[in-house]
Amino acid sequence: MGRLRTNPNAATEIKLSPFLIQNTKTIGFKNNVILEIGCGKGDFIIENALKFPENNYIGVEKYATVLLKAIKKISILTTPPTNIKFILGDFQEIYPDLKPHSITKIFLNFSDPWPKKHHEKFRLTNLVFLKMYHQLLIADALLEIKTDNVGLYEYSYNTLKDNKGVFDIIDYCQDLYTNEKMMSDNIQTEYEKKFVLQNKKICKIVAKNKH
């Protein structure tokens, strides 16, 4: 799919943007805060912000070159939405700054599968991360996971299923585009658009937070 050439000035450019959250201890939004961890070039979260103005969206992305693409997409809109912000950084590092029980939904879209067994600690659906999401989300809030990687799907499903004190799985499928119910509110990411054109199956899990 091609590697994005690194822009050495990206971090500096991002810091000048009004869409960047400079201090993660004061994110600015108080209600209906929805988080996308690994927001990439922003297609998914920007479309959500435009479609659902009653919600507030925060995209977390650790690669400055990638995040700059998302911020530029917002900036060129005739009327940029006011309900979207971005954080440049690694989720695990900014997590301690975020207020517990303040997030109403978390999206994990096409996260790095880290397929090797000794890389399990990096998977965004391992138990350590699930407990972080559990602490951030309000009661009964949803965690939504999409991936083209069957191994990550199975790992995520089993980790959620084996730790029922954290989340309850309420819906899942291994071929999203044949599931009419789950497709009814589907918004594509930039990766998803490419995978669909390649006839790759998209897996999805929806889990409810427990408190």
Side-chain angles (χ1 to χ4, degrees):
M1 295 177 64
R3 183 180 294 275
L4 186 65
R5 181 176 295 179
T6 300
N7 178 349
N9 300 315
T12 301
E13 291 185 51
I14 288 170
K15 288 179 181 178
L16 299 175
S17 171
F19 295 102
L20 182 71
I21 294 175
Q22 305 282 354
N23 183 351
T24 51
K25 292 182 179 180
T26 55
I27 62 174
F29 297 137
K30 297 186 182 299
N31 301 304
N32 300 330
V33 181
I34 296 174
L35 200 64
E36 184 185 9
I37 300 171
C39 66
K41 299 175 187 175
D43 285 16
F44 176 84
I45 196 168
I46 293 170
E47 187 170 343
N48 270 279
L50 292 169
K51 189 174 182 179
F52 304 107
E54 69 276 14
N55 296 328
N56 295 302
Y57 293 88
I58 297 176
V60 179
E61 176 57 54
K62 64 181 179 179
Y63 298 112
T65 297
V66 177
L67 183 56
L68 183 59
K69 295 284 186 181
I71 287 177
K72 285 184 175 180
K73 287 177 184 177
I74 285 277
S75 302
I76 64 173
L77 295 176
T78 304
T79 307
T82 58
N83 62 331
I84 185 170
K85 297 282 187 181
F86 296 95
I87 295 174
L88 175 62
D90 187 287
F91 170 76
Q92 202 164 13
E93 294 177 1
I94 67 172
Y95 164 75
D97 289 343
L98 301 177
K99 184 180 177 182
H101 316 310
S102 63
I103 306 298
T104 56
K105 184 181 284 188
I106 291 176
F107 290 108
L108 299 176
N109 291 318
F110 302 94
S111 306
D112 191 327
W114 292 103
K116 294 182 179 179
K117 187 173 180 62
H118 65 280
H119 285 154
E120 179 182 1
K121 63 181 179 181
F122 299 120
R123 293 176 199 154
L124 291 182
T125 53
N126 72 34
L127 184 55
V128 173
F129 280 105
L130 291 181
K131 287 181 176 179
M132 291 182 191
Y133 310 147
H134 172 71
Q135 288 300 315
L136 288 180
L137 289 166
I138 62 175
D140 297 326
L142 299 181
L143 170 67
E144 296 195 10
I145 302 163
K146 282 198 289 188
T147 181
D148 65 306
N149 186 281
V150 175
L152 181 61
Y153 166 81
E154 292 175 345
Y155 172 83
S156 303
Y157 177 88
N158 290 328
T159 305
L160 287 161
K161 185 179 179 181
D162 293 343
N163 295 279
K164 293 183 178 179
V166 184
F167 287 93
D168 282 331
I169 296 173
I170 61 173
D171 215 344
Y172 61 96
C173 69
Q174 285 188 273
D175 192 354
L176 175 61
Y177 282 72
T178 64
N179 188 309
E180 186 175 347
K181 176 186 173 185
M182 296 186 83
M183 277 296 292
S184 63
D185 60 352
N186 187 60
I187 291 177
Q188 291 183 319
T189 74
E190 56 266 21
Y191 275 119
E192 186 173 349
K193 292 171 186 175
K194 293 178 181 179
F195 291 147
V196 170
L197 289 175
Q198 296 169 3
N199 294 317
K200 285 189 175 183
K201 291 183 178 180
I202 308 300
C203 307
K204 184 170 182 176
I205 302 171
V206 180
K208 182 185 290 186
N209 193 36
K210 297 185 72 172
H211 273 289

